[in-house]
Amino acid sequence: MPKKSKVITVGLIQAKAHKEPAKNLSLTLAKAEKAAKDGAQIICTQELFSTEYFCQSEDHSKFDLAEPIPGPTTKAFQNLAQRYKIVLIVSIFEKRGSGVYHNSAAIINTDGAILGIYRKMHIPDDPLYYEKFYFTPGDLGFRSWKTPFGKIGVLICWDQWYPEAARLTAMQGAEILFYPTAIGWHPSEKAKYGKSQHNSWETIQRSHAIANGCYVATVNRVGHEETTDNGDGIEFWGQSFISDTSGELLRKADLDETTLLCDLDLGKVDTARTHWPFLRDRRIDAYSDITKRLVDE
Amino acid sequence: MPKKSKVITVGLIQAKAHKEPAKNLSLTLAKAEKAAKDGAQIICTQELFSTEYFCQSEDHSKFDLAEPIPGPTTKAFQNLAQRYKIVLIVSIFEKRGSGVYHNSAAIINTDGAILGIYRKMHIPDDPLYYEKFYFTPGDLGFRSWKTPFGKIGVLICWDQWYPEAARLTAMQGAEILFYPTAIGWHPSEKAKYGKSQHNSWETIQRSHAIANGCYVATVNRVGHEETTDNGDGIEFWGQSFISDTSGELLRKADLDETTLLCDLDLGKVDTARTHWPFLRDRRIDAYSDITKRLVDE
């Protein structure tokens, strides 16, 4: 039991994307408003919630889906944040300038101001996940932000496979790591590899909670999307979850649309870090090779 | 399926410690010999296998249990390695010099030579695990060694909670990470926290396999040991295991004495690292703060 409890409520919006961005925006705003009315204080959207997952092909016309920060999407969420005095983490396909686009998240504070931007640092590139075509890797580094409801860090999807990203965010004091995500199965691979792939994904993120004594809140999309003829699409596996500081799941969604609400006692972060004193014993004198690609013979 | 299979067999000796070091040594040698006859090519002992877990109290007389490397224990295992043309990973309470002791592992090659030494880098200190009293933190860094059966890394117990340690070892090419371990429950805490503690321990190590696309082989002791009046001892939780590159358990022991044998296809390491190309996308330009204690505001 923590000596000093501080219970807050987070909300994760797991949804199916429609073809029309305006519809995704209005539905997500409505779900965020409902979550706020239900008590959520920090609400996080899924990755690129306003569109289908357009990275299934390399198509220049898709850059038209991007918008600046601030822009119409942040404006809409800023109004909501101010109205309900909540914190919002809003995934945005960011147009920073001609030819420079990012996979970003805007962190909006309770007063409606943009508290910060996180730009996805690790960009994947795999069949049907052609993100390196669209997104310049982030140049703002790993960040955490102080909000009235606790200190939060935001990382995006592919970042979740990197212990370095979680560590660097937690080292800035983050008590919760949020991961807006878009991951799913290639339908043709699902029977053979699907269970193992999903299990790896959940496990690596639970491990970040354990290693850093913090909460992890991951929100993933659902539904089958086929935005190209080049394959059989992606079946997004949903299963958004919230892990406690020991890696146990407090809430887990299935493969339906849902908004996960969960109470977190942030007092437990201090307790976890004291009783499992991993941060005390890090060998910072011996980690410098982490900045190498490999340690060659 | 890997393009190029290379199947090898590892053996992990999970045992109960007796009071007499000579008995532990002879029993472990016999078990290693049996494993070799059964086909094991790389065999790993549990942490500090030759003694009870003496760190339950701070007792200067316990330093007499230490020995140099090379020393009588390595000699015995070197003979065995040479006789069976096997690789042995042997945990040793190392006396390096007066007042300088390490929690080490000797890596012995198929020709009986000592291929290298790993000295535990992260030293815990918790009630009944007073290791900082006994062990100077390692000064040899994280290492991996090429053997006739593949490239291996060795880390010890508390190291297993540090993604940095696994990463730095894998970055040197390790295909298998071995973790000699001594971890268990405080009997008074077991009912309330035991399941969660064990689960955290298994999860964080499976995550190292996932993040680095390698195998993880962990060998832990079993049995209740009470070497001091200061508490009710430790119930070592055994459950040694081998994880594949996706974090799935290939073998898992229970709480009995056993020697786990497991075939590993090292060809899968290359396949895993290609199909889950995490190493490709590490943001080494943005990781330098890993060498800080915290990133202060």
Side-chain angles (χ1 to χ4, degrees):
Chain A
M1 279 289 90
K3 283 185 203 138
K4 207 172 156 186
S5 276
K6 182 188 175 184
V7 179
I8 61 117
T9 305
V10 300
L12 308 180
I13 303 172
Q14 171 176 303
K16 194 174 171 322
H18 300 271
K19 292 221 176 297
E20 311 77 20
K23 188 171 176 181
N24 294 320
L25 177 60
S26 66
L27 282 171
T28 303
L29 280 166
K31 287 175 183 186
E33 182 165 10
K34 166 93 167 57
K37 285 178 178 169
D38 291 343
Q41 294 160 303
I42 308 175
I43 299 169
C44 184
T45 74
Q46 65 198 23
E47 186 185 15
L48 303 171
F49 75 93
S50 74
T51 60
E52 289 189 307
Y53 184 72
F54 53 83
C55 309
Q56 292 187 41
S57 64
E58 302 196 351
D59 176 350
H60 289 95
S61 74
K62 297 293 166 57
F63 286 103
D64 294 342
L65 296 167
E67 61 171 277
I69 301 175
T73 298
T74 48
K75 266 282 168 277
F77 282 93
Q78 287 177 271
N79 290 339
L80 191 70
Q82 192 173 27
R83 195 150 75 251
Y84 289 92
K85 309 278 175 256
I86 55 175
V87 170
L88 286 163
I89 300 160
V90 184
S91 171
I92 310 235
F93 180 19
E94 180 189 4
K95 179 165 187 171
R96 185 171 168 189
S98 293
V100 179
Y101 297 79
H102 295 286
N103 186 330
S104 302
I107 294 87
I108 300 170
N109 213 341
T110 52
D111 59 358
I114 294 176
L115 185 59
I117 301 174
Y118 173 75
R119 292 183 176 135
K120 187 173 182 172
M121 290 287 285
H122 299 94
I123 307 295
D125 203 275
D126 259 328
L128 297 192
Y129 294 87
Y130 300 108
E131 296 200 15
K132 288 194 196 294
F133 174 76
Y134 292 101
F135 310 124
T136 293
D139 58 351
L140 297 175
F142 304 100
R143 303 279 306 277
S144 102
W145 293 275
K146 194 172 183 177
T147 79
F149 311 117
K151 218 159 172 191
I152 63 174
V154 178
L155 295 161
I156 299 176
C157 204
W158 192 240
D159 291 324
Q160 60 211 175
W161 300 96
Y162 294 84
E164 293 93 339
R167 179 70 97 203
L168 286 162
T169 306
M171 281 169 62
Q172 294 172 56
E175 296 161 304
I176 314 170
L177 305 179
F178 286 92
Y179 286 95
T181 298
I183 191 170
W185 296 293
H186 295 304
S188 64
E189 288 186 355
K190 186 182 173 189
K192 188 163 181 191
Y193 300 112
K195 195 181 161 198
S196 167
Q197 291 170 345
H198 172 265
N199 203 25
S200 295
W201 174 79
E202 195 179 86
T203 302
I204 191 87
Q205 292 177 88
R206 290 168 53 217
S207 84
H208 304 325
I210 298 165
N212 297 294
C214 63
Y215 291 94
V216 167
T218 296
V219 51
N220 186 30
R221 65 173 66 202
V222 287
H224 180 259
E225 295 181 26
E226 201 171 334
T227 61
T228 169
D229 297 331
N230 179 27
D232 51 1
I234 301 175
E235 183 184 340
F236 292 96
W237 66 46
Q239 301 180 73
S240 301
F241 67 85
I242 293 138
S243 165
D244 75 7
T245 60
S246 67
E248 287 194 78
L249 298 190
L250 298 174
R251 289 278 188 296
K252 179 175 171 179
D254 58 19
L255 277 79
D256 297 322
E257 290 197 304
T258 186
T259 298
L260 274 192
L261 259 60
C262 188
D263 289 345
L264 308 181
D265 185 350
L266 299 188
K268 290 187 177 174
V269 171
D270 189 65
T271 304
R273 291 175 179 170
T274 306
H275 284 254
W276 290 95
F278 308 137
L279 297 179
R280 180 191 64 192
D281 295 333
R282 293 177 66 244
R283 289 296 305 270
I284 55 176
D285 60 312
Y287 292 164
S288 60
D289 280 351
I290 286 275
T291 59
K292 294 186 178 168
R293 184 63 63 203
L294 286 176
V295 180
D296 301 306
E297 279 174 282
Chain B
M1 276 293 89
K3 285 187 200 134
K4 206 173 157 184
S5 276
K6 183 188 174 183
V7 179
I8 60 117
T9 305
V10 300
L12 308 180
I13 302 171
Q14 170 177 305
K16 194 174 171 323
H18 300 270
K19 291 220 175 299
E20 312 76 20
K23 188 170 177 182
N24 294 319
L25 177 59
S26 66
L27 281 171
T28 302
L29 280 166
K31 286 174 182 185
E33 183 166 10
K34 167 94 167 57
K37 285 178 178 169
D38 290 344
Q41 293 160 302
I42 308 175
I43 298 168
C44 184
T45 73
Q46 65 199 23
E47 185 185 15
L48 303 172
F49 75 92
S50 73
T51 59
E52 290 190 305
Y53 184 72
F54 53 83
C55 310
Q56 293 187 40
S57 64
E58 302 195 351
D59 176 352
H60 290 95
S61 74
K62 297 292 166 58
F63 287 104
D64 295 341
L65 296 167
E67 61 172 276
I69 301 175
T73 297
T74 47
K75 267 281 168 278
F77 281 94
Q78 286 176 273
N79 290 340
L80 191 70
Q82 193 174 25
R83 195 152 74 248
Y84 288 92
K85 308 277 175 258
I86 55 175
V87 170
L88 286 163
I89 299 161
V90 183
S91 170
I92 310 237
F93 179 20
E94 180 190 4
K95 178 164 186 170
R96 184 172 169 189
S98 293
V100 179
Y101 297 80
H102 295 286
N103 186 329
S104 300
I107 294 87
I108 301 170
N109 214 340
T110 52
D111 60 358
I114 293 176
L115 185 59
I117 300 174
Y118 174 74
R119 293 183 176 133
K120 188 173 181 174
M121 291 286 285
H122 300 93
I123 307 295
D125 203 274
D126 259 328
L128 297 193
Y129 295 87
Y130 299 108
E131 295 200 16
K132 288 194 196 295
F133 175 75
Y134 292 102
F135 309 125
T136 293
D139 58 351
L140 297 176
F142 305 100
R143 304 280 305 277
S144 99
W145 293 274
K146 195 171 182 177
T147 78
F149 311 116
K151 219 159 170 190
I152 63 174
V154 177
L155 296 160
I156 299 175
C157 203
W158 193 238
D159 291 325
Q160 60 210 176
W161 300 97
Y162 294 84
E164 293 93 341
R167 180 70 97 202
L168 287 163
T169 306
M171 281 170 63
Q172 295 172 55
E175 296 162 304
I176 315 170
L177 305 180
F178 286 91
Y179 286 95
T181 298
I183 192 172
W185 296 292
H186 295 305
S188 63
E189 288 187 354
K190 186 182 173 189
K192 188 164 182 190
Y193 300 112
K195 194 181 161 195
S196 167
Q197 291 170 344
H198 172 265
N199 203 25
S200 295
W201 174 79
E202 194 178 85
T203 302
I204 190 89
Q205 292 178 88
R206 289 169 52 216
S207 84
H208 303 327
I210 298 165
N212 298 293
C214 62
Y215 291 94
V216 167
T218 296
V219 50
N220 187 29
R221 64 173 67 201
V222 287
H224 180 260
E225 296 181 26
E226 202 172 334
T227 60
T228 167
D229 296 333
N230 179 27
D232 51 1
I234 301 175
E235 184 183 338
F236 292 96
W237 67 45
Q239 301 180 72
S240 302
F241 66 84
I242 293 137
S243 165
D244 75 7
T245 61
S246 67
E248 286 194 78
L249 298 191
L250 299 174
R251 290 279 188 294
K252 180 175 171 179
D254 58 18
L255 278 78
D256 297 321
E257 290 196 304
T258 187
T259 299
L260 274 191
L261 259 60
C262 189
D263 288 347
L264 308 182
D265 185 349
L266 299 188
K268 289 187 177 175
V269 171
D270 189 66
T271 304
R273 289 175 180 170
T274 306
H275 284 254
W276 291 96
F278 307 137
L279 297 178
R280 180 190 65 191
D281 295 333
R282 293 176 66 243
R283 288 297 303 273
I284 56 174
D285 60 311
Y287 292 163
S288 59
D289 280 352
I290 287 277
T291 58
K292 293 185 178 167
R293 184 64 63 202
L294 287 174
V295 181
D296 301 306
E297 279 174 280

